Amino acid sequence: MPTEHPARPASRARPERHASRPSRGGPVTLLSLGHSCVDVYQGAVAALVPYFVAERAYTYAAASGLVLAASLLSSVVQPLFGALTDRRALPWLLPVSTLVGGAGVALVGISDSYALAFAAIALSGIGVAAYHPEGARAARAAAGDSHTAMGWYALGGNLGFATAPLLVTAVVATGGLAASPLLVLPALLGAVLCATALRRAAPTGRGAGAGGATGTGGMPEAGESDWRSFLKLSGAVVCRSIVFVSLSTFVSLYVRQRTGGGPASGTAALTVLYVGGAVGTVAGGRLAARHGRVRVVQGAYALSVFAVAGVVFVPGPPVYLFVALTSAGLYVPFSLHITLGQDYLPTRVGTASGVTLGLTVSVGGLASPLVGALADATSLRTALAPLIALPALGLLLLRGLPEPGARPAAAGSGEDR
C-alpha cells in the first residue's frame, strides 16, 4: 500500500466537486435518507435512558445496560456481516435490517420486564449491525470519486441520531414508554427508501458485486492490505466510540445537573450533540478533499480533547458550546474512518466497514455500563472525567498513519478519493 500521497493532482479536483452533492432521487440520496431512518434507532436507545430512569426507577448502571444491549451483539455480529458481504452482495439486507432495527425499539416499552426490554433492544442492535456493512459498501459504490459524497451518506445517519431525541420525546413524553410501538414508523419509511435506492442503482451495475476484490461496482481495485495502519485506525475509533456512547447515554442527565434545568434542557444537549455531528460529518468530507483524510482526522481528535474537558468542567449554559465542539470533534472524522478503513483493506471492504462501523463503535456500548456504575458510586462528573484522556490516546495511535495513495483511474472508479 502506498504511504504518503502528497498533493492531489488538479485533474482529480473536478470530479470531487461534481460528486460533492448527490443528485435528487439518486441512489446516494435515497441511501442517505434510508441511513437516517435506521440510525434513528441507535440514537433512540440513549434518548430513552432518562425515561427508564424516571418511569421505571432504573439506576444509572441498569439504564446504561440497555445501551450495552444494543451494542453487545452488534459488536460481534457486524464484522461477521461485513465478512459475508465481502463474499457476495446482500442488498436485501438493507430494507430487512431496517425493519428489524425499528421493531426492536418499538417493542421496548410494551412490558415492564427489564429482561424483555434488554432483549428487544438487543434485537434492534442486530438489525442495525446487519445494515451498516452492506449499506457502506452500496454507498461507496454509488458515491463515485468523492470523499464528500460519502460525507453526505454519513450525514444521513447522523441526522437520524439528531432527530432521535426529538422523536422519542414527542412519543414517550406524551404517551409514556407504552407508546414505544409508534417508534417503528421511521423503519417502515426507511425500508421503502432502501428498496427504491437498490432498484434505481441496479441498472448501473453498482452494488451488484461483492465489492472490493475486483474493482467493479465503483469499489477500489484490489491491492495490498495495510493491516498495521488499519489496526491503529481501529484503536483510535474505539477511543472515539467510548467517548461518544458514554456522552450520548449521560449528557442529557449531566447537563440537567450542571444547568439546573428540566427535561427540556437535557433533550437540548443531546440534540446539540447529534446535530453538531451532522454538520461535522459534511465538513469532514470537504476538509479531507483539501487537506487529506489523515490530517483532518488527527485535527478532530485534538479538538475533542479540549471540547470534552469543557463539557466535564465548564458549569452553566456555556456547557452547550462545549457539547457542540465535542460533537464536531467526534463527527468530523466519521465518514473518513470508513473510507480510510476500506482503503487500508481494499480486498476486504465489507470487513473493514463492519469493523470501523461495528466492532470498534460498539465497544463504546460495552464501556457505558462501567461509566454508569462509577457514576452510581461517585457522581456523573467524576465518571465522565476519564473520557478526556481517550481522544488524546486516539491521537497518539493516529501518529504516523499513512494517507492511502490514489489508484489509477483506469483501474476502477477512483472511489478511494
Side-chain angles (χ1 to χ4, degrees):
M1 164 117 3
T3 53
E4 287 293 335
H5 178 59
R8 170 181 293 190
S11 61
R12 297 184 63 84
R14 186 174 299 275
E16 172 70 23
R17 288 197 301 268
H18 283 317
S20 63
R21 187 184 298 269
S23 61
R24 180 181 298 177
V28 173
T29 298
L30 294 171
L31 288 169
S32 178
L33 293 172
H35 192 193
S36 178
C37 291
V38 77
D39 274 7
V40 161
Y41 300 107
Q42 294 201 82
V45 176
L48 284 165
V49 165
Y51 297 99
F52 281 111
V53 171
E55 189 172 323
R56 297 186 180 173
Y58 288 171
T59 64
Y60 290 143
S64 60
L66 296 177
V67 179
L68 170 65
S71 303
L72 185 61
L73 289 177
S74 178
S75 64
V76 176
V77 170
Q78 193 154 317
L80 296 179
F81 277 108
L84 188 61
T85 60
D86 281 336
R87 294 179 176 273
R88 59 180 300 177
L90 300 172
W92 56 267
L93 268 180
L94 298 185
V96 171
S97 60
T98 300
L99 291 173
V100 172
V105 167
L107 295 172
V108 75
I110 64 172
S111 169
D112 291 335
S113 167
Y114 182 85
L116 289 179
F118 190 97
I121 289 180
L123 175 67
S124 177
I126 293 174
V128 171
Y131 173 89
H132 279 100
E134 180 66 16
R137 187 201 62 77
R140 190 93 194 265
D145 186 22
S146 174
H147 292 318
T148 312
M150 279 298 289
W152 284 103
Y153 169 74
L155 171 65
N158 298 335
L159 289 177
F161 266 99
T163 57
L166 303 177
L167 177 65
V168 167
T169 298
V171 172
V172 180
T174 55
L177 289 169
S180 66
L182 292 174
L183 296 174
V184 78
L185 294 177
L188 300 177
L189 174 61
V192 172
L193 289 168
C194 289
T196 303
L198 295 172
R199 187 167 59 250
R200 293 190 181 184
T204 68
R206 289 177 175 168
T214 64
T216 60
M219 298 308 303
E221 187 76 9
E224 183 181 353
S225 294
D226 184 354
W227 282 99
R228 182 175 181 272
S229 295
F230 180 76
L231 291 175
K232 290 176 66 176
L233 174 69
S234 298
V237 179
V238 167
C239 296
R240 181 258 182 205
S241 168
I242 295 173
V243 175
F244 177 74
V245 176
S246 297
L247 287 179
S248 296
T249 304
F250 295 114
V251 74
S252 178
L253 295 168
Y254 183 67
V255 168
R256 287 172 63 177
Q257 292 179 3
R258 298 291 283 172
T259 62
S265 64
T267 299
L270 193 57
T271 302
V272 167
L273 182 67
Y274 292 164
V275 170
V279 175
T281 299
V282 174
R286 292 186 179 277
L287 288 169
R290 293 189 176 189
H291 306 293
R293 287 171 288 182
V294 172
R295 287 182 61 190
V296 171
V297 171
Q298 291 170 338
Y301 276 70
L303 171 62
S304 297
V305 178
F306 166 76
V308 175
V311 171
V312 174
F313 293 115
V314 173
V319 72
Y320 289 104
L321 171 63
F322 287 97
V323 172
L325 290 175
T326 299
S327 179
L330 295 176
Y331 266 109
V332 160
F334 186 75
S335 67
L336 308 181
H337 290 151
I338 302 170
T339 58
L340 280 170
Q342 290 174 337
D343 288 348
Y344 289 140
L345 301 183
T347 64
R348 296 175 175 87
V349 170
T351 299
S353 302
V355 172
T356 54
L357 282 170
L359 181 61
T360 51
V361 172
S362 298
V363 168
L366 303 180
S368 182
L370 299 179
V371 177
L374 181 58
D376 285 330
T378 56
S379 68
L380 266 178
R381 184 178 181 182
T382 300
L384 295 177
L387 300 180
I388 300 170
L390 289 171
L393 176 59
L395 187 58
L396 288 175
L397 290 170
L398 293 168
R399 289 186 62 185
L401 202 68
E403 181 78 39
R407 295 181 175 85
S413 68
E415 178 64 27
D416 58 294
R417 309 303 304 166

